Amino acid sequence: SGTKVNSFTLLITGGAYTITWPASVDWAGGTAPDVPAASETSVYTFFTFDAGTTWYGFLAGEDMS
């Protein structure tokens, strides 16, 4: 009762940058995945059960180019 669930999918194409994920993201395995290499695309999926206080992050696909 009162649970607010939400999710989204994010595609990131690699380049010369870094990604700083918010502290509210808990990653599968406890560690954020590496940024994709130049011209590679990675797919990330996130979901929350508590209206965004904690997000569960998963690398859904790597080198999808």
Side-chain angles (χ1 to χ4, degrees), residues 22-42:
S24 59
V25 177
D26 283 345
W27 290 99
T31 303
D34 292 331
V35 175
S39 77
E40 293 182 351
T41 299
S42 291

Side-chain angles (χ1 to χ4, degrees), residues 3-17:
T3 302
K4 297 192 180 195
V5 177
N6 204 342
S7 66
F8 67 94
T9 300
L10 179 65
L11 277 69
I12 297 178
T13 300
Y17 55 85

